[in-house]
């Protein structure tokens, strides 16, 4: 009876080749190989760090106070009028100097961060210090009236343009009730634009007057962080390189392990 029941059951085929299949002895060998590659990779990365030149990072931070237009200051601190003399003093090619220099605003602040990278920690700190001093000296010597004079000149020019536009509009004879010509409409639009720009400049002049009332509001820069060199080298970092080497070793070991799991039956 059992034989009859088995004969009545439909045949079932199991697609073994479509599922991961582990061969115990081979898998164990591949796992051991992966561990060896991880250990070797970690050691190569850690001890291989000694083959690279040590690069040090120096930094200083300067606050440029009382000026709402600090976006221009990160450009000023990297200008060649400041960097070229320092690069020449340390006998560094200007392009190489600029590649090793990082300077810019700390996001959301009025703080300028200056960093320099070099294999000589003392030189890196000296470069940062000299560049900061040069920037502070130049910024401190800027006459506070300079920006105001420029604003007044721009305001005067806009007012002249406004008067000229008014005269041009008034010179056109328009009969009562008649619509303006396209040319007259353009002049009216220009007058409205000029008045808006004049209003903005007048507000900036008022802001400039308020700044000049207080010495602290002149925008004179000051140190937030004095020039220093980080205690740990910027590059290489043996621990990070060791972890990187271990990760590469693990990847190299897992590749044959995964291939073995999906190895077709009979191979």
């Amino acid at each position: 009876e059992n034989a009859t029941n088995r004969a009545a059951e439909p045949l079932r085929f199991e697609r073994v080749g479509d599922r991961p299949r582990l061969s115990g002895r081979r898998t164990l060998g591949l796992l051991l190989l992966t561990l060896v590659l991880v250990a070797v990779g970690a050691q190569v990365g850690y001890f291989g760090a000694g083959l690279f030149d040590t690069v040090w990072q120096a930094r200083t931070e300067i606050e440029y106070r009382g000026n709402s237009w600090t976006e221009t200051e990160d450009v000023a601190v990297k200008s060649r009028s400041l960097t070229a003399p320092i690069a020449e003093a340390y006998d560094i090619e200007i392009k190489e100097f600029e590649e090793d220099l990082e300077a810019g605003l700390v996001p959301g602040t009025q703080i300028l961060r200056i960093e320099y990278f070099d294999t000589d920690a003392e030189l890196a700190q000296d470069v940062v210090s000299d560049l900061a001093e040069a920037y502070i000296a130049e910024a401190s010597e800027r006459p506070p009236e300079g920006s105001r004079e420029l604003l007044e000149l721009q305001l005067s020019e806009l007012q002249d343009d406004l008067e000229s536009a008014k005269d041009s509009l008034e010179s056109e004879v328009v009969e009562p009730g008649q619509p303006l010509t396209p040319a007259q409409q353009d002049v009216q639009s220009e007058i409205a634009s000029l008045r808006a720009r004049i209003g903005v400049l007048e507000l900036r002049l008022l802001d400039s007057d308020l700044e000049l009332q207080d010495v602290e509001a002149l925008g004179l820069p000051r140190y937030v962080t004095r020039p220093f060199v980080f205690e740990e080298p910027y590059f290489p970092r043996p621990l990070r390189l060791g972890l990187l080497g271990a990760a590469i070793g693990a990847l190299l070991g897992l590749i044959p392990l995964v291939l073995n799991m999906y190895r077709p039956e009979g191979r």
Side-chain angles (χ1 to χ4, degrees):
E1 183 179 355
N2 291 336
T4 304
N5 292 337
R6 284 197 299 270
E9 291 181 356
L11 294 176
R12 295 179 181 178
F13 296 93
E14 193 171 346
R15 299 178 64 185
V16 177
D18 291 343
R19 296 179 300 165
R21 191 183 62 80
L22 295 176
S23 173
R25 183 175 299 178
R26 179 183 294 232
T27 301
L28 179 61
L30 291 175
L31 286 175
L32 291 176
L33 175 62
T34 300
L35 293 176
V36 171
L37 289 175
V38 169
V40 171
Q43 291 183 11
V44 170
Y46 186 86
F47 294 104
L51 300 176
F52 299 96
D53 292 332
T54 302
V55 177
W56 299 92
Q57 178 184 6
R59 172 186 292 177
T60 187
E61 292 177 333
I62 303 169
E63 182 182 13
Y64 192 83
R65 299 173 292 169
N67 190 331
S68 58
W69 306 99
T70 51
E71 289 79 5
T72 61
E73 299 308 311
D74 62 334
V75 178
V77 76
K78 292 184 288 187
S79 64
R80 288 201 173 184
S81 62
L82 294 181
T83 59
I86 298 175
E88 183 178 357
Y90 290 99
D91 195 22
I92 304 173
E93 292 290 336
I94 185 63
K95 290 185 178 180
E96 179 184 349
F97 185 90
E98 291 173 342
E99 289 175 357
D100 295 333
L101 173 67
E102 290 186 7
L105 288 172
V106 177
T109 70
Q110 290 185 326
I111 296 176
L112 287 165
R113 176 175 291 169
I114 303 174
E115 296 178 328
Y116 192 77
F117 303 84
D118 197 85
T119 54
D120 187 335
E122 184 178 354
L123 184 144
Q125 182 169 346
D126 289 343
V127 166
V128 164
S129 179
D130 290 352
L131 184 56
E133 291 295 333
Y135 167 76
I136 290 175
E138 183 185 80
S140 301
E141 290 174 0
R142 299 174 193 168
E145 298 82 4
S147 59
R148 179 178 177 80
E149 291 175 355
L150 179 59
L151 291 176
E152 289 177 343
L153 177 61
Q154 292 175 348
L155 181 60
S156 176
E157 292 176 350
L158 289 178
Q159 288 173 339
D160 290 341
D161 292 341
L162 178 60
E163 292 300 324
S164 176
K166 287 181 178 179
D167 293 341
S168 175
L169 183 62
E170 292 174 357
S171 65
E172 298 286 341
V173 179
V174 180
E175 296 181 3
Q178 292 295 325
L180 297 176
T181 64
Q184 290 171 331
Q185 292 177 0
D186 291 342
V187 174
Q188 275 196 335
S189 299
E190 182 183 359
I191 290 174
S193 175
L194 288 170
R195 284 175 175 168
R197 293 166 63 187
I198 287 174
V200 172
L201 286 178
E202 287 176 344
L203 289 176
R204 290 178 61 183
L205 277 171
L206 179 60
D207 182 60
S208 177
D209 289 337
L210 294 175
E211 288 184 355
L212 291 175
Q213 292 177 5
D214 189 352
V215 175
E216 288 296 320
L218 292 179
L220 299 180
R222 67 178 181 87
Y223 278 109
V224 176
T225 305
R226 290 281 178 176
F228 72 97
V229 176
F230 285 87
E231 294 183 359
E232 294 185 3
Y234 177 78
F235 182 84
R237 296 187 178 181
L239 183 58
R240 288 188 179 182
L241 290 179
L243 292 175
L244 178 61
I248 294 174
L251 179 63
L252 293 177
L254 287 175
I255 290 175
L257 180 61
V258 172
L259 292 177
N260 178 67
M261 291 173 61
Y262 288 91
R263 183 172 57 89
E265 188 75 28
R267 291 187 181 179

